[in-house]
Amino acid sequence: MPVMLVCASREDDPPGTVALVLRAARVLLLTVGVLAPVGLVGLVVAVLSGRAAARRLAWPRLVALLMRLGPTFVKAGQVLGTRRDLLPPGLCDELATLQDSVIPLTADRTREALAAVYGAELDTLFAEVDYEPVASGSVACVYRARLTSGREVALKLRRPGIERVMRQDLDLMRRGAALMARLPLFRGIPVMPVVVSMCDAVLGQLDFEREAASLDRLRADLSVVPRVWVPKVVPSACRPRCIVMEFIHGLDIDAPSRCSDASRRKFASSGLTAIYEMLFVNGFVHCDMHPGNLYFTESAQVVVLDAGFSVQLSERLRLLFADFFMNMAIGDGDKCAAIVVESSADVGADADVAGFLARMADLVRRSHGLPAREFSLIAFATEMFDLQRRHGIHAAPELIFPLLSLLVIEGTIRELDPDVDFQALARPVLMKGRFGSR
């Protein structure tokens, strides 16, 4: 279902009271219109077939509602879908299906937007621009262009008015979360910290100056990993609403299917090593490595794009993250369980810490004994988050988002190499991150 975007007249205008009230009314009407019938039908289904069946009915409707509400809610749903420590696994699975399916800007609208960004410099910087986008998302469209120097580049142009619309919606989410946090149903759940971290993650994807710096950082950090390519930014041509970077040819999600098994195994190794380098060595993590941002070319390169959703771990959390995986690699469940508690954002007053420690240690020991083909990061993380949720141990968002990078990439890596050993590949990078010079 394509998402239609509302364009504001001025990019940086804060959302006014009237606009906020009108938007709130529209969100409320859509929400009630979609969820009220689902609630009534759900009650009947719950009585006849149980609460699990009612939830299976409700979750897809909720995801459809987010699509109708627009790009901010889609982005928020994508981020919330990572919080398996707080939300039911079935709902997280549905939220993970959310995709940006957005109608691209017209050629005329793109010309207007570029003129607004560059002014008189447009013709002096660019010899030509192809106004047919090569990619279209909720925040930006990407175009092929050529600098006056002759260099071929990609322009990532932020949609006009999108910041105002998204800030308006995020303001509504914060207000709604503040109301929810007061309800008995949500007592003991860190509603506001979760929503605030989600809003920060969404807003971060609007900061193109930050994203350009993140691309430069990732390019430097991942230069040590064989066959990994992060596009080089052209700083002199970048502007606050447009990132200019080298254009990479041959980006095709089906490219691995045309490569040999040996090449596919190399892709899997390089892609996974890149994630480990981010997590365990540098602590600067690209958290959105889905197939639209991760490509494998026929020239044996692993291409990483779009660093808008990146997180910098504190040194303490980076070391705890590395220690957790290191102890997991040797099957020390007791140490892993203690690290999860130590790194948690909140331990509820009624938390069953002893019960969590025992069950978490058992999970690590069971997982350590599995053959590589049978070990699943998603299954492991789902069970771990379920244990945290049931025992009142709330994970820190700073750790959840980086872990997302591993969970998102697992399916892609498994397709490339079904026999890949996630734990074995991690060991040398863990040693480097924990004991090597940085």
Side-chain angles (χ1 to χ4, degrees):
M1 181 191 302
V3 176
M4 297 298 292
L5 295 173
V6 180
C7 292
S9 57
R10 291 183 59 189
E11 178 73 17
D12 299 319
D13 283 348
T17 303
V18 174
L20 201 60
V21 170
L22 290 175
R23 178 59 176 160
R26 173 173 169 75
V27 169
L28 182 61
L29 287 173
L30 274 173
T31 302
V32 171
V34 170
L35 296 187
V38 173
L40 293 174
V41 174
L43 286 174
V44 176
V45 172
V47 171
L48 297 176
S49 305
R51 297 170 72 177
R55 286 193 291 268
R56 286 195 297 271
L57 171 74
W59 298 154
R61 271 71 174 182
L62 177 59
V63 170
L65 171 63
L66 295 177
M67 288 292 292
R68 290 187 64 184
L69 290 174
T72 313
F73 289 86
V74 169
K75 290 286 185 188
Q78 290 170 343
V79 175
L80 285 177
T82 69
R83 296 309 305 262
R84 291 175 179 265
D85 58 319
L86 295 175
L87 302 178
L91 176 56
C92 291
D93 290 341
E94 286 293 338
L95 290 171
T97 66
L98 282 170
Q99 300 292 331
D100 289 327
S101 178
V102 186
I103 297 172
L105 295 172
T106 64
D108 288 342
R109 194 76 180 96
T110 301
R111 288 189 182 90
E112 291 174 7
L114 283 173
V117 169
Y118 287 99
E121 291 182 302
L122 184 61
D123 293 333
T124 60
L125 280 172
F126 301 103
E128 58 181 298
V129 176
D130 182 353
Y131 292 99
E132 183 70 27
V134 296
S136 175
S138 57
V139 170
C141 292
V142 180
Y143 302 88
R144 189 171 174 176
R146 190 176 302 279
L147 298 174
T148 49
S149 64
R151 183 178 182 180
E152 194 173 24
V153 293
L155 308 182
K156 183 175 180 180
L157 176 66
R158 198 171 75 190
R159 289 176 178 271
I162 191 63
E163 180 174 1
R164 184 175 185 272
V165 173
M166 294 185 82
R167 286 186 181 277
Q168 187 181 80
D169 286 344
L170 292 172
D171 190 15
L172 289 177
M173 291 180 195
R174 290 191 189 94
R175 295 177 188 226
L179 293 174
M180 289 170 56
R182 298 179 182 180
L183 300 176
L185 178 65
F186 297 96
R187 188 172 293 131
I189 299 176
V191 174
M192 284 307 297
V194 169
V195 171
V196 168
S197 65
M198 175 213 57
C199 291
D200 289 344
V202 173
L203 276 178
Q205 297 180 55
L206 295 174
D207 189 344
F208 277 19
E209 291 174 297
R210 176 176 175 271
E211 182 178 349
S214 295
L215 282 169
D216 275 339
R217 170 77 186 274
L218 285 174
R219 182 178 171 86
D221 287 352
L222 299 182
S223 63
V224 300
V225 183
R227 298 177 297 276
V228 172
W229 185 2
V230 180
K232 186 175 183 179
V233 174
V234 184
S236 61
C238 291
R239 297 295 182 270
R241 283 178 274 163
C242 188
I243 302 173
V244 179
M245 67 200 90
E246 64 178 313
F247 189 89
I248 300 177
H249 292 268
L251 297 185
D252 179 2
I253 59 174
D254 295 323
S257 64
R258 299 189 292 273
C259 296
S260 67
D261 289 342
S263 293
R264 290 163 63 87
R265 286 193 292 272
K266 288 180 181 178
F267 289 153
S269 176
S270 293
L272 196 52
T273 302
I275 290 287
Y276 288 154
E277 188 78 19
M278 289 188 278
L279 286 170
F280 306 137
V281 178
N282 300 299
F284 186 70
V285 189
H286 187 309
C287 299
D288 198 16
M289 300 277 272
H290 62 75
N293 291 335
L294 184 70
Y295 288 88
F296 305 92
T297 72
E298 292 184 64
S299 59
Q301 295 284 344
V302 179
V303 180
V304 179
L305 303 175
D306 192 350
F309 187 7
S310 300
V311 171
Q312 175 65 62
L313 295 176
S314 68
E315 186 65 1
R316 172 180 171 272
L317 286 179
R318 182 190 71 82
L319 291 174
L320 284 172
F321 208 94
D323 281 348
F324 177 87
F325 276 85
M326 184 174 293
N327 284 281
M328 184 177 164
I330 61 175
D332 190 340
D334 293 329
K335 182 62 176 175
C336 285
I339 289 171
V340 174
V341 174
E342 183 182 353
S343 65
S344 64
D346 178 55
V347 177
D350 57 348
D352 179 9
V353 177
F356 173 78
L357 290 172
R359 290 169 177 80
M360 184 67 210
D362 176 66
L363 170 62
V364 171
R365 284 190 286 268
R366 284 188 283 113
S367 300
H368 179 256
L370 291 175
R373 182 181 278 268
E374 295 179 22
F375 175 73
S376 167
L377 281 168
I378 292 178
F380 177 87
T382 298
E383 187 170 348
M384 180 179 75
F385 292 149
D386 183 57
L387 288 173
Q388 288 180 277
R389 185 169 56 251
R390 289 193 284 115
H391 291 82
I393 311 293
H394 302 305
E398 297 91 338
L399 284 182
I400 294 295
F401 290 151
L403 186 56
L404 169 65
S405 62
L406 269 174
L407 301 184
V408 168
I409 201 175
E410 181 182 18
T412 301
I413 297 298
R414 290 286 187 199
E415 287 181 12
L416 292 168
D417 182 6
D419 295 316
V420 65
D421 191 330
F422 281 77
Q423 297 185 50
L425 274 174
R427 288 187 191 112
V429 189
L430 280 168
M431 296 300 289
K432 175 184 174 183
R434 193 63 184 86
F435 304 112
S437 60
R438 297 178 57 239

